[in-house]
Amino acid sequence: MTQPHSLSSGGRFNEPTDAFVEAFTASVNFDQRLYSQDIQGSIAHATMLAKVGVLTDIEKDAIVQGLQEIREEIERGEFNWSVAQEDVHMNIEAALTAKIGIIGKKLHTGRSRNDQVATDVRLYLRDEMQLVAGELTRLQKGLIALAEAEADTIMPGFTHLQTAQPVTFGHHLLAWNEMLQRDYERLMDARKRVNISPLGAAALAGTTYPIDRLQTAELLGFDRPTENSLDSVSDRDFAIEFCSFASLLLMHLSRMSEELVLWTSAQFNFIDLPDRFCTGSSIMPQKKNPDVPELVRGKTGRVYGHLMSLLTLMKSQPLAYNKDNQEDKEPLFDTLDTVQGCLRAFADMVPALEPKREVMREAARRGFATATDLADYLVRKGLAFRDAHEVVGQSVAYGVAEGKDLSEMSLGELQQFSNSISEDVFDVLTLDGSVAARNHLGGTAPEQVRAAAQRAQTLLRQRG
Ligand code: ARG
């Protein structure tokens, strides 16, 4: 039986690696999650080597069979990962050699761990991006359905977190959807630069064997092979792009979280979050805390941090591969885990939000939210907008002093400030009149919200 090999015993080494250095440089504890893609890549490589005559079919079959057995052992939890074998690639190759003998040592012909790891990470990220896309779509679906159902629900719209104008809750939710739609498009765009095959670049310069890179690219479902061997082993832009997508996504989720936290507070009281998304306080029995949105808001920090880690990792690195690149995995993996967790929590939670429609309407009614509508009314009666602004300002000051909203004033009260005001003013001072009047593409009118929800659903249906 051929002994499994170790890179730092025998060969050019006169002494074994220091035990601490061995542990310090090993990545197997975190890169073992690439096992499936590593095996997939090796099978494609061996298949190609047999096609071009570098391996015999018998050798290729033994390698493929051995790798499949190793995959099953790993999945049954029976595989013995060893730090002495440094990383996922060496662990699997050593196990293959232990299993099938000298033929196992031929797998690495015409390849290096440098193009191997670049291939594995791209395959892994591509697979995970598919899951991210699925959860993002599920979240958007729930959001759009809720928006459609709440197309007529009136709430205050805010600027500077001060009541500005009435809007519909459906319109607000569709604003969230726009953010997520852009995120989805960024994800799909990033995927184009992930799904390219670096395999065949070998250590950095390519290889002297008559390899067929188009074939391995095709076997692995890549769109094409990369163009330049030096760039192939050193490029980690694709991981940075994913983290950049993730940072924007989490920025958006944190903004939604912030609004949910505000809205569930007693002071706003706009929505209820079902108990299953909340926890209590260990000391204050009355509390029901919006933990899920708070935690998503908090997790944004680590995702931004990972983006900074990767940008800094790659800064000033000379071509081509450097061991530094081993540090790409933990930030990328944690970003993937975090994004998937946050999306899952949001996709589960959004359809369960319980809007308190009367409270929202009352809040809009109280905040002089139809002041702009009164100004627009006066402009239609012939006043210049700045003069109308002045008249409405005086009416609001009166309302503040009297504790009355504009819609609660009598005609006589309103006419103190302008004799252009007549009975028809009450058509525009109502909340429903106010939102219905903003009836154009992108406006808050219920009719527009329903149409926008339809368009958003069509976009979702067009996804693969
Ligand atoms: N574990 C390494 C990494 O993650 C694999 C590539 C190692 N290549 C090398 N020449 N040491 O980057």
Side-chain angles (χ1 to χ4, degrees):
M1 169 66 98
T2 313
Q3 284 308 304
H5 36 271
S6 165
L7 291 180
S8 48
S9 61
R12 65 109 69 214
F13 286 83
N14 294 322
E15 60 174 2
T17 309
D18 177 87
F20 171 72
V21 170
E22 184 177 272
F24 184 69
T25 53
S27 55
V28 64
N29 288 336
F30 53 83
D31 68 15
Q32 57 182 267
R33 71 155 97 182
L34 299 172
Y35 80 89
S36 179
Q37 289 75 17
D38 192 69
I39 289 171
Q40 191 186 356
S42 290
I43 289 176
H45 180 65
T47 304
M48 180 278 291
L49 288 181
K51 277 262 170 56
V52 300
V54 174
L55 291 180
T56 66
D57 280 340
I58 292 169
E59 287 168 334
K60 182 260 292 176
D61 290 344
I63 287 172
V64 171
Q65 171 72 26
L67 288 170
Q68 274 159 355
E69 283 172 28
I70 289 169
R71 177 197 294 281
E72 284 159 23
E73 285 160 26
I74 294 171
E75 286 171 0
R76 282 199 304 267
E78 290 164 6
F79 191 84
N80 193 12
W81 296 103
S82 148
V83 170
Q85 291 296 342
E86 193 178 323
D87 58 22
V88 60
H89 323 292
M90 295 305 302
N91 267 269
I92 291 177
E93 196 187 318
L96 182 69
T97 302
K99 195 183 270 296
I100 67 171
I102 190 162
I103 298 171
K105 293 186 176 181
K106 296 191 173 186
L107 169 61
H108 212 51
T109 314
R111 171 177 93 162
S112 151
R113 278 186 298 158
N114 298 351
D115 60 340
Q116 188 178 358
V117 70
T119 303
D120 292 2
V121 175
R122 284 171 181 272
L123 287 172
Y124 181 80
L125 182 55
R126 182 185 72 189
D127 292 349
E128 294 287 306
M129 282 166 103
Q130 207 52 45
L131 302 177
V132 170
E135 283 299 83
L136 188 49
T137 302
R138 187 164 75 88
L139 166 56
Q140 285 187 262
K141 208 170 163 189
L143 194 54
I144 297 165
L146 185 64
E148 200 169 25
E150 303 298 331
D152 296 292
T153 305
I154 290 180
M155 68 182 288
F158 300 92
T159 58
H160 312 269
L161 202 57
Q162 310 285 320
T163 299
Q165 294 173 355
V167 295
T168 49
F169 185 43
H171 196 51
H172 194 113
L173 295 173
L174 287 183
W176 289 1
N177 183 60
E178 286 302 301
M179 303 175 186
L180 298 178
Q181 177 64 27
R182 290 192 293 276
D183 290 327
Y184 182 84
E185 289 169 18
R186 270 187 282 272
L187 178 67
M188 288 299 123
D189 195 63
R191 187 186 187 281
K192 293 183 208 157
R193 285 171 295 282
V194 171
N195 201 31
I196 301 172
S197 177
L199 196 57
L204 78 166
T207 175
T208 55
Y209 297 94
I211 57 168
D212 181 349
R213 296 191 61 213
L214 277 171
Q215 196 186 123
T216 44
E218 193 181 316
L219 284 171
L220 293 170
F222 284 120
D223 294 332
R224 60 177 175 86
T226 51
E227 279 293 325
N228 180 293
S229 63
L230 292 168
D231 178 56
S232 304
V233 295
S234 76
D235 170 30
R236 294 295 181 274
D237 295 5
F238 61 93
I240 297 178
E241 278 194 62
F242 178 79
C243 290
S244 159
F245 146 81
S247 294
L248 280 163
L249 171 67
L250 264 287
M251 182 266 281
H252 292 148
L253 294 181
S254 81
R255 296 184 67 181
M256 297 176 200
S257 296
E258 175 68 8
E259 293 190 324
L260 291 174
V261 170
L262 285 171
W263 293 347
T264 52
S265 70
Q267 287 68 24
F268 274 83
N269 195 28
F270 284 2
I271 58 163
D272 219 3
L273 260 184
D275 290 355
R276 63 183 184 280
F277 298 105
C278 302
T279 64
S281 156
S282 55
I283 177 166
M284 296 166 284
Q286 85 281 12
K287 296 271 291 224
K288 176 172 147 182
N289 296 327
D291 293 63
V292 170
E294 287 176 283
L295 202 50
V296 170
R297 191 176 59 185
K299 283 183 187 289
T300 308
R302 66 200 278 164
V303 170
Y304 289 3
H306 294 325
L307 173 62
M308 285 307 129
S309 295
L310 289 186
L311 283 167
T312 313
L313 173 68
M314 297 313 296
K315 176 187 174 295
S316 313
Q317 263 198 50
L319 290 172
Y321 176 88
N322 301 285
K323 182 77 170 179
D324 313 40
N325 288 353
Q326 183 165 290
E327 285 286 301
D328 64 352
K329 289 167 202 62
E330 287 162 294
L332 180 63
F333 293 163
D334 189 67
T335 300
L336 281 163
D337 293 346
T338 306
V339 162
Q340 288 178 27
C342 293
L343 281 175
R344 180 183 170 166
F346 254 77
D348 288 349
M349 186 174 63
V350 161
L353 297 180
E354 295 163 12
K356 296 186 175 175
R357 301 185 186 90
E358 276 316 308
V359 180
M360 288 187 185
R361 173 176 277 271
E362 182 55 25
R365 211 186 55 75
R366 267 186 283 112
F368 300 100
T370 53
T372 314
D373 299 87
L374 179 56
D376 292 342
Y377 166 88
L378 289 167
V379 168
R380 285 197 295 277
K381 297 281 173 173
L383 271 74
F385 183 78
R386 280 293 159 223
D387 293 333
H389 189 283
E390 172 82 19
V391 168
V392 179
Q394 287 161 3
S395 322
V396 169
Y398 171 81
V400 170
E402 297 292 310
K404 274 187 184 173
D405 187 65
L406 293 170
S407 58
E408 294 167 324
M409 293 179 196
S410 69
L411 187 57
E413 282 177 299
L414 288 166
Q415 282 171 336
Q416 301 174 74
F417 308 103
S418 168
N419 50 23
S420 301
I421 298 178
S422 53
E423 191 65 41
D424 60 353
V425 74
F426 295 107
D427 299 341
V428 308
L429 289 186
T430 64
L431 295 171
D432 298 282
S434 170
V435 294
R438 288 172 169 77
N439 193 13
H440 53 75
L441 183 74
T444 194
E447 191 184 323
Q448 293 296 334
V449 171
R450 274 186 274 274
Q454 289 300 323
R455 290 194 299 274
Q457 264 153 9
T458 305
L459 281 181
L460 285 197
R461 276 195 297 272
Q462 285 163 358
R463 291 182 188 175

